[in-house]
Structures are given as structure tokens and as C-alpha cells.
Amino acid sequence: MPHWRVVVHALDRTGPPMLARAVVRWIRENEPTHAVDVVAFRGGELLDDFVRLCPVRVVLDPHEPWDWRAPDERRVAELAPRFSRLPKADATLLVSVAGAQALPFLPPDTCDPIVTWSVEQGEDLHEGADGRTARWLAGSAGTAEELRLRLPATTPIWPVPEFIEAPELPPPDVVAHCRVALGAEPGDDTLLVLGAGIATVRKAPDLFLEAALAHTRRGGPPARFVWLGGEHDAFFHTVRAEARRVEAGNLRLFGGVVDVVPFLAAADVFLHPARLDAFPLVCLHAAAAGTPVVAFSGVGGVPEMFGDAFVGAPYPDLAALLDRVDDLADPGRRAAAAEAQGARVRDRFTAGAAGSVVLEQLREACR
């Protein structure tokens, strides 16, 4: 029976580790005779989930500095014994090019061929995986376009969309509790607009703040803006300080939660103001939880994700983006948008719909 290796840059609650978990769980549930193991360059809070599925090896110690462009050869030699008994895999899947940071520790005779599933755009799409990749997969059309500009013209690039595990929807009482936690008391009909992500300029919590301020100035339907996550990033505190300075009373920077799905289900609208995001899984999670997504076009894969069900405006037209948010204050429009987006996610971007495509790519790499 085949043995597959999945390599990821970290085990935190960000896109690639969540995607890796979806892949591993799909294989374990649908191909129980297949062996799987995981190598993570750094650890994180998803380690508990992964060790319930398969063997996991973590390269670096917590918070250890590292420059993937110039690895410390002495430290590589010190850490190499951790992988001295690494079993031979039939193929290795890098979930994001950032996973290539682990490659110096993995002997080729235990890991080749390497299949790199690129899920990045822009500066994150670095060249760390180029030297050993035998087969390239692209998680979105934008990523595929950037790969074609960088790789030799004859390199095949296979489209393999990213996906999520179909969420277990929370019961109504839990949704109600989450609304209270986010600041919406029972009977409060104020529109609850949620954003979520790490706090980087690319994810744009500062634009989320600008949206909250602009919404107050324009006097639209009453709305409360809440951002989840990012509190470990320096930019989170920069945005929070600015929000306090300008007295953004309709905004709260809430910080991280263990399970984002009930909070997504509790929101009325999910606003994704990213300046660049190849194929944001949090938007899939929001739509799957029944909450319509509003985002910019021209900066990543959200229009590709939702097709005709996309709701948004061209970047950087924040006023037009807020128009789309205000449109969804109407319960009928909100329900229609949620149903259209949710149906597209269920049909195309869940593990049940897309997991077999990844496995077939691994099999093709072996052939």
C-alpha cells in the first residue's frame, strides 16, 4: 500500500495547515490502507489534531529563528538525527511553497518525488521549492498565472483548487452565545460584520478599521465591526492603537478563537478586505457556515471562488465595498447571497468534492 508524506511550514491555524489537515483526514477516512505522515517545519496549536491522524515530526524548536535562503548548516546537522528513521514515502506533498523550509532535513531517497501545491501569490510565492519539485499544482488561477511567469515555459502546472472540511454547523444556542460574545445582545438588530485573519498589511485589518469608520461617517444601517485573530502580530497592535486614537466605537479587535466556525455562523456578513489573498480559506468557511462574504476583486481568488455568487467591488474602492455590505442589511438579499455562495462551496471546495483530485496527483507523480 502507498505511503504519502505531507509537508507544511507550520501547524498554526492558518490556511496551509488547515488545508493539510483536510487532505490528511480525507486520505485516512477514504483510503484507510494508505499510510500517511506529516513533517512540519514549525509546530503550533493544530499539532493535537494531526497526531490523532498520523505520525508527525516537527523540525524546529519553538520560536527558533531561521532564514530559509541561508540555512545554518551546523544547525541542520544537529537536527538531522530527528529524521534518521524517516520511512520511505512514495511521494511527498508540500502544502504551500513555504513548506520547502523543511526540505534540507529530508533525505531525497525518503521523499522524492516532491509535489508542490502552491497556494500563494505575491512575495509569499518564493523559490524555496523550485530545486526539488517534480510536479507543480496551483491552488488558484492567480497562483497558476504567477507560476507560469516564473517557471520554465514547458513546466506543466496542474490546477487543484484548495478546499476545506465541511464544517459541522453549530446549534442555534451556540450561535446566539457567539453573537453575545461579539457584542450583539439578544434582540439587537445591528448588522454584525465580521473579519478574520492574521494581522498583516496583506490581510488588511487596517482597511477593516477604515471600513468601520467610513460606515459611521456615511450613516448607513447600524453595524458593528469585529475582527478575529492576529493578536500575535505587531500590526494588530498598530491598528488597535489607531482605532483607539480615532475613537472607532463601532469596531472591536477581538483576537483569536479556537474554533472560528461558530463565530462565522454568528455574523451577518463576513467582510474580507485583503489587499492580496490567493484563495482565502476563511471565506470558504464563512460561506459554508451560512454567512455571505463581501470582498475586493482584482486582488486574489475570491471572485474565482464564488463565480456568479461573488459579492464585492474592485480594489481599492472601499465605498463601493461598503455599498455591498449595506445591501446585505436586507435579510432577503442576505439569505440569497448566503445560499448561492454556500452551494458553490459545497459543490466544489469541500474535501468530499475535491480530496480525490489531490490523491490522483500524488499517484500521477509516482507514475
Side-chain angles (χ1 to χ4, degrees):
M1 287 295 105
H3 184 133
W4 312 116
R5 177 157 296 128
V6 176
V7 177
V8 67
H9 77 280
L11 298 178
D12 52 10
R13 292 183 183 277
T14 56
M18 299 286 282
L19 181 56
R21 186 183 64 179
V23 170
V24 172
R25 186 169 283 154
W26 185 91
I27 293 174
R28 299 300 297 139
E29 291 177 353
N30 291 274
E31 299 288 351
T33 61
H34 292 207
V36 185
D37 69 66
V38 168
V39 174
F41 187 65
R42 295 186 184 274
E45 57 268 30
L46 289 183
L47 176 61
D48 289 353
D49 290 354
F50 276 97
V51 296
R52 287 171 171 80
L53 296 169
C54 66
V56 181
R57 295 169 178 83
V58 178
V59 178
L60 286 193
D61 296 338
H63 307 295
E64 183 172 353
W66 197 262
D67 182 356
W68 68 268
R69 295 176 180 82
D72 182 341
E73 296 300 330
R74 180 187 60 81
R75 186 61 174 146
V76 171
E78 291 173 351
L79 295 173
R82 296 183 182 182
F83 303 92
S84 61
R85 297 186 179 182
L86 198 67
K88 173 71 174 77
D90 292 276
T92 294
L93 178 68
L94 265 62
V95 182
S96 89
V97 297
Q101 296 173 91
L103 290 182
F105 304 90
L106 308 182
D109 61 352
T110 66
C111 294
D112 287 345
I114 302 289
V115 178
T116 298
W117 193 4
S118 180
V119 297
E120 300 93 342
Q121 284 186 251
E123 63 183 13
D124 290 339
L125 190 56
H126 57 67
E127 301 180 1
D130 287 14
R132 286 176 60 179
T133 295
R135 191 174 185 89
W136 285 95
L137 315 180
S140 68
T143 295
E145 183 178 347
E146 289 193 25
L147 282 174
R148 290 189 187 98
L149 293 174
R150 200 189 75 200
L151 297 172
T154 56
T155 304
I157 299 169
W158 302 89
V160 178
E162 300 174 57
F163 56 83
I164 60 171
E165 299 174 74
E168 182 177 343
L169 298 183
D173 62 325
V174 172
V175 172
H177 298 164
C178 289
R179 284 186 67 86
V180 170
L182 294 173
E185 294 295 333
D188 184 356
D189 59 358
T190 299
L191 195 71
L192 182 55
V193 181
L194 195 68
I198 58 175
T200 63
V201 172
R202 183 169 57 85
K203 292 288 188 179
D206 58 316
L207 292 185
F208 194 80
L209 164 61
E210 290 294 333
L213 294 171
H215 194 277
T216 298
R217 289 194 299 267
R218 71 193 297 176
R224 177 178 291 105
F225 290 72
V226 183
W227 182 273
L228 295 181
E231 70 272 21
H232 301 300
D233 302 306
F235 196 46
F236 176 93
H237 303 283
T238 300
V239 174
R240 183 174 63 180
E242 178 65 10
R244 290 174 175 172
R245 187 188 71 80
V246 299
E247 299 181 349
N250 64 336
L251 171 72
R252 182 175 181 186
L253 301 176
F254 197 81
V257 296
V258 173
D259 183 3
V260 73
V261 171
F263 290 91
L264 293 171
D268 296 310
V269 176
F270 184 77
L271 176 61
H272 190 67
R275 292 179 170 91
L276 180 65
D277 214 339
F279 206 78
L281 297 189
V282 68
C283 294
L284 295 179
H285 282 288
T291 299
V293 176
V294 177
F296 284 122
S297 61
V299 291
V302 180
E304 176 187 357
M305 182 183 293
F306 293 127
D308 292 341
F310 173 74
V311 179
Y315 178 83
D317 192 341
L318 193 62
L321 198 70
L322 282 174
D323 288 341
R324 304 290 78 77
V325 172
D326 287 348
D327 289 344
L328 296 180
D330 177 84
R333 290 180 178 177
R334 191 161 68 240
E339 175 54 33
Q341 292 182 352
R344 186 168 170 96
V345 170
R346 291 189 296 271
D347 291 345
R348 298 176 182 229
F349 304 121
T350 59
S356 60
V357 179
V358 178
L359 184 57
E360 184 56 29
Q361 290 291 337
L362 293 173
R363 286 172 166 151
E364 284 294 330
C366 293
R367 298 186 188 112

